[in-house]
Amino acid sequence: MKITDVPIRQLIFAEYNPRKATEEQISQVKESLSRFGFVEPIVVNSALDRMNVIVGGHLRVKVAKLMGIKKIPVYYVNLPDIKKEQELNLRLNKNIGLWDWDMLATIEETILHDVGFSKEAMEDVFK
């Protein structure tokens, strides 16, 4: 896998992206990028008719722009068929698994709260 640093201004938000985020989620992504930077590249189309269209990572790009970040790591995929591009976009966002609440209970509570697990969501875990 080749990852390339790309000027953020070259990236194009997919017009069909069905994901949205709350202010709290935006804040959490900002905190994560501030603390750790981009540890996972943005997935971007390299097909001629879809060059630089974001397939996965829209929220991170949005937050990076708000933060004034100029270059971000990109992994290019060649998807000339927009239906395949849309499918990958959906799979990157939907196929995320579930939390193992017993395992989460082994992590320090302050860390869980810091990364966005609400006290209400964690009440059953820490009984």
Side-chain angles (χ1 to χ4, degrees), residues 12-18 43-58 76-93:
I12 302 163
F13 290 95
E15 66 280 3
Y16 59 79
N17 184 43
V43 179
V44 176
N45 204 340
S46 66
L48 191 57
D49 290 345
R50 302 290 294 167
M51 178 59 81
N52 287 327
V53 172
I54 301 165
V55 180
H58 290 82
Y76 280 104
V77 293
N78 189 341
L79 298 167
D81 180 353
I82 191 169
K83 289 179 183 178
K84 291 289 185 189
E85 180 186 294
Q86 290 172 328
E87 179 184 350
L88 180 56
N89 169 275
L90 293 172
R91 289 186 181 280
L92 289 171
N93 287 294

Side-chain angles (χ1 to χ4, degrees), residues 3-6 38-43 71-75:
I3 298 170
T4 308
D5 283 335
V6 175
F38 278 90
V39 296
E40 183 178 10
I42 304 303
V43 179
K71 282 190 170 187
I72 57 175
V74 165
Y75 175 68

